[in-house]
Amino acid sequence: MRRIRSFAVVAAAFVAALGAVPTATAAPAAPAESSSLVAYNCAPGHFCIYSDWNGGGTRCQWSQSSKANTADDCSFIRRGQNVRSVWNGTGHRVQYYTQTNYQARAGSTPAGAGGNLQGNYQIRSFRPQ
């Protein structure tokens, strides 16, 4: 711990002696984070599921707050493909299930968030939590 602190003090003194202002190393990461959010192409107010990781593949989206059977209007669910990622663009947490009619809870996603799932199941129904 002392060695790390000493290194930080020496580095700060070196930068100050040169009169240079260090650039933020996190700056390049911001576009990558933004582009990963862009990958989740989901209209505001909708709940979206995707057949591939990071919002890729086929997308199914719903504006209603609950759906008893996603296979009614989601082509990749009807083909038997699993859900690999989700995005919740609604104003509430969405809870999802591996069976129709809100049976066998698999998980939930807060409003304005999303990400990759295990990818080994289908989301067959969802509703607000």
Side-chain angles (χ1 to χ4, degrees), residues 40-48 50 59 61-63 87-90:
Y40 290 92
N41 182 15
C42 187
H46 288 71
F47 176 66
C48 298
Y50 306 86
R59 176 194 71 197
Q61 68 176 358
W62 295 271
S63 60
W87 186 263
N88 180 2
T90 72

Side-chain angles (χ1 to χ4, degrees), residues 21-91:
V21 177
T23 59
T25 57
E33 288 177 24
S34 297
S35 66
S36 68
L37 292 178
V38 172
Y40 290 92
N41 182 15
C42 187
H46 288 71
F47 176 66
C48 298
I49 62 175
Y50 306 86
S51 64
D52 206 351
W53 311 112
N54 302 312
T58 303
R59 176 194 71 197
C60 295
Q61 68 176 358
W62 295 271
S63 60
Q64 65 263 40
S65 62
S66 63
K67 183 73 176 172
N69 187 357
T70 58
D72 288 344
D73 47 15
C74 183
S75 61
F76 79 86
I77 294 292
R78 281 195 306 274
R79 288 192 305 269
Q81 289 180 271
N82 291 332
V83 177
R84 295 214 167 111
S85 53
V86 300
W87 186 263
N88 180 2
T90 72

